[in-house]
Amino acid sequence: MESLIPISELNDFVFCPRSLYFHHLYGGYSTALYHDTPQTKGNIAHESIDEKKYSTSKKWLQGVEVSSEILGIYGKIDLFNTETGELVERKRKIVKVYDGYKLQVWAQALCLQEMGYTVQNIFLHSLVDNKRYAVEFSGVETHCNASLQEQIQKMRSFSLDDGFSQNPEKCAHCIYAHLCDQTNF
Ligand code: SF4
């Protein structure tokens, strides 16, 4: 049986498959060794979620673990309103709704659906500027599911020897640049 993929790694893989590979090399070390400042701030933003501080109302599921046997993924949701079917993922600051963000919340929603909940709406919430971004889901679940399955397949079959297009903007700020021979250009 194949191991389950963490939902949090969907976005990391979209950012750069190679950086996720290097991240795994550091798996046994303190995250302080490889988390840069924005990543650390993002984790702090999630502390109140993990400690279930958002609301005491029973209608909210907060920081609950979810999984999908069908897709082979697992992770945590941020906030889910069981009465309205609203799923919310808070991030420190959102400047653009990246494909990786969409895959993350689609994965959360499909896990919830497999667990018997109905997801009606999905929102990404940018904490710094208090902005909300709707992510399509209800009515287009088939498309979301197909995109997710395609991504999971790419992750399962990834090899460091795969061809890769460099992105100088990403590579210039990458904390793994010293490990990555793709930056020797
Ligand atoms: S240096 Fe560039 S290619 Fe290498 S891991 Fe970092 S972002 Fe990816």
Side-chain angles (χ1 to χ4, degrees), residues 19-38:
S19 69
L20 182 59
Y21 174 88
F22 291 125
H23 175 94
H24 284 160
L25 287 184
Y26 284 84
Y29 297 91
S30 163
T31 53
L33 288 175
Y34 56 80
H35 272 189
D36 62 8
T37 304

Side-chain angles (χ1 to χ4, degrees), residues 52-156:
K52 300 182 174 55
K53 287 179 183 169
Y54 179 74
S55 168
T56 55
S57 170
K58 287 185 178 166
K59 70 182 179 184
W60 287 102
L61 299 184
Q62 303 169 48
V64 168
E65 293 185 1
V66 294
S67 64
S68 164
E69 276 188 39
I70 297 169
L71 291 164
I73 54 176
Y74 75 98
K76 274 187 182 180
I77 57 151
D78 184 351
L79 295 166
F80 179 64
N81 186 320
T82 56
E83 291 181 1
T84 64
E86 181 180 301
L87 174 65
V88 181
E89 168 72 16
R90 290 171 295 179
K91 294 190 179 292
R92 184 175 171 275
K93 184 170 185 185
I94 298 172
V95 291
K96 181 183 171 188
V97 178
Y98 294 105
D99 288 345
Y101 291 174
K102 290 183 188 176
L103 289 166
Q104 270 188 312
V105 288
W106 287 343
Q108 294 172 1
L110 289 166
C111 285
L112 282 167
Q113 305 258 66
E114 196 174 312
M115 293 165 72
Y117 295 100
T118 301
V119 177
Q120 297 286 1
N121 296 295
I122 303 179
F123 296 99
L124 289 165
H125 190 135
S126 177
L127 290 169
V128 167
D129 48 14
N130 200 29
K131 286 186 179 171
R132 270 196 167 197
Y133 302 85
V135 176
E136 66 277 19
F137 178 69
S138 188
V140 291
E141 288 101 327
T142 306
H143 161 74
C144 303
N145 203 326
S147 300
L148 202 50
Q149 287 195 37
E150 185 183 336
Q151 187 69 8
I152 290 166
Q153 184 52 40
K154 282 184 190 170
M155 292 176 78
R156 292 205 183 281

Side-chain angles (χ1 to χ4, degrees), residues 15-16 18-19 22 164 170-171 174 176-177 180 182-183:
F15 177 79
C16 176
R18 294 174 67 85
S19 69
F22 291 125
F164 186 78
K170 288 181 185 176
C171 299
C174 178
Y176 303 115
C180 183
Q182 293 286 348
T183 57

